[in-house]
Amino acid sequence: MSVHDSTIKTTAAVDETGAGTNRILQTRGLVKRFGGLTAIDDVDFAVEEGEMRCLIGPNGAGKSTFLKLITGRHAPSDGSVYYDGADITDLDSYERVDQGISIKFQVPSIYPELTVRQNLRVPLQRVASRSEYDERTEATLEQFDLLEEIDTVAANLSHGQQQRLEIGMAMTLEPDLMLLDEPVAGLSIEETEEIAELLVELNDEGVAFVVIEHDIDFVASIADRVTVLHQGEIFTEGSIEDVRADPEVKRIYLGESGEADAEERAGPEADH
Ligand code: ADP
Ligand code: MG
């Protein structure tokens, strides 16, 4: 854990920030406005160390925006983000990465013209010395079942392999918290199962996750707890069984597009 030595933990701050608890991530009164639109509306949210949390909700609920507030890609209009008990609201994205937060956005950010090995070198340069590159690369590719593709140009990988490569690149930074925006959108059932297994394995190794996903079967196969976001607010939170059985949750999904569009909701959507 990357607790700042300089963090002053007053008694009053314990409950407010998660300091001195096992909360790895917390938001307090988080707000994001885009002009007249409130995309995130006063959200208090917390994730425990080593937890696997899934974030679901209809299109436009604010899920991607929420993740971008945690990574620092967006500055909040109001409220705070705490990581490991320290206020990180004013830190730049790269400083948050250095503290142990990693992200995979909705739009893949691999380098299509580089080989798998070269792609992994990009994050490795931040954390490893040149003499470690080969060993670290091979260990990562082994875990992500990509060793045979080490010299393949990334553009020629399957969609599932590209997703695994991108998660592998993020894991190279050895994060304590990994944020994933729709990691299985557009993947086959088999590819989806591979990603689920991989995430559960990484979570067993102690990495906490916040995963945005529409595919409810995928969510059921990985989540400890589920948070439902609706119109920028936390609608409900609980086990996948509770959330699935909640008629109000069904209503907000049906209100959006109808059950018949479930397939469509599972597809990739444009990143902002
Ligand atoms: P989700 O990921 O749940 O589908 P988003 O977080 O992408 O939802 O979007 C939430 C709302 O905020 C939507 O109404 C969307 O149009 C709006 N929004 C998202 N990003 C921007 C932006 N950069 N500028 C203006 N509006 C945005
Ligand atoms: Mg989104």
Side-chain angles (χ1 to χ4, degrees):
M1 297 298 115
S2 41
V3 177
H4 282 299
D5 291 335
S6 58
T7 305
I8 299 162
K9 294 177 181 175
T10 62
T11 312
V14 168
D15 276 342
E16 287 299 302
T17 68
T21 71
N22 58 354
R23 280 174 220 151
I24 190 157
L25 176 72
Q26 191 164 0
T27 72
R28 303 283 304 182
L30 206 59
V31 177
K32 181 61 182 179
R33 293 186 206 96
F34 295 111
L37 174 88
T38 305
I40 291 294
D41 191 0
D42 196 18
V43 168
D44 293 338
F45 176 83
V47 174
E48 309 278 305
E49 274 174 24
E51 186 182 346
M52 173 71 85
R53 177 72 60 88
C54 286
L55 191 59
I56 66 171
N59 279 338
K63 304 180 297 294
S64 294
T65 301
F66 185 66
L67 234 54
K68 288 172 186 169
L69 291 168
I70 298 170
T71 63
R73 183 147 150 189
H74 285 327
S77 308
D78 202 355
S80 307
V81 181
Y82 302 92
Y83 178 71
D84 226 358
D87 189 336
I88 61 164
T89 316
D90 294 328
L91 296 189
D92 290 329
S93 292
Y94 73 90
E95 294 174 302
R96 299 182 195 207
V97 170
D98 284 343
Q99 293 216 351
I101 300 179
S102 208
I103 184 159
K104 194 199 118 16
F105 286 112
Q106 221 165 316
V107 170
S109 56
I110 56 171
Y111 299 88
E113 72 282 8
L114 299 184
T115 66
V116 167
R117 183 201 303 272
Q118 289 166 339
N119 266 278
L120 274 172
R121 184 157 298 189
V122 176
L124 272 175
Q125 281 168 352
R126 292 178 69 114
V127 292
S129 61
R130 193 169 280 272
S131 62
E132 296 174 307
Y133 287 174
D134 284 347
E135 196 185 327
R136 295 272 308 256
T137 298
E138 281 165 26
T140 300
L141 293 181
E142 177 121 44
Q143 180 168 28
F144 286 75
D145 195 20
L146 284 170
L147 201 47
E148 285 177 10
E149 309 295 343
I150 189 165
D151 292 317
T152 304
V153 173
N156 296 332
L157 296 174
S158 72
H159 192 175
Q161 288 172 329
Q162 289 181 356
Q163 296 285 32
R164 292 210 301 280
L165 173 58
E166 197 184 357
I167 298 169
M169 288 166 72
M171 287 310 302
T172 299
L173 302 174
E174 300 182 335
D176 295 317
L177 173 66
M178 176 88 195
L179 311 167
L180 300 174
D181 197 345
E182 303 201 15
V184 299
L187 297 191
S188 69
I189 291 173
E190 193 179 302
E191 288 172 326
T192 298
E193 281 171 2
E194 277 173 4
I195 300 276
E197 275 173 33
L198 193 53
L199 298 188
V200 168
E201 186 180 315
L202 296 169
N203 183 240
D204 286 345
E205 290 171 13
V207 183
F209 281 86
V210 179
V211 182
I212 296 176
E213 194 47 66
H214 285 292
D215 181 337
I216 203 72
D217 292 324
F218 174 79
V219 169
S221 70
I222 64 169
D224 291 327
R225 279 160 63 78
V226 177
T227 299
V228 183
L229 210 63
H230 180 49
Q231 297 180 348
E233 296 180 79
I234 293 184
F235 189 75
T236 187
E237 233 167 37
S239 70
I240 181 68
E241 292 79 19
D242 289 350
V243 165
R244 237 179 177 167
D246 187 336
E248 290 298 301
V249 172
K250 287 190 187 134
R251 187 179 58 77
I252 62 170
Y253 272 106
L254 293 174
E256 178 205 35
S257 56
E259 193 73 67
D261 289 342
E263 291 283 294
E264 196 181 303
R265 288 204 309 273
E269 48 184 78
D271 199 12
H272 289 284

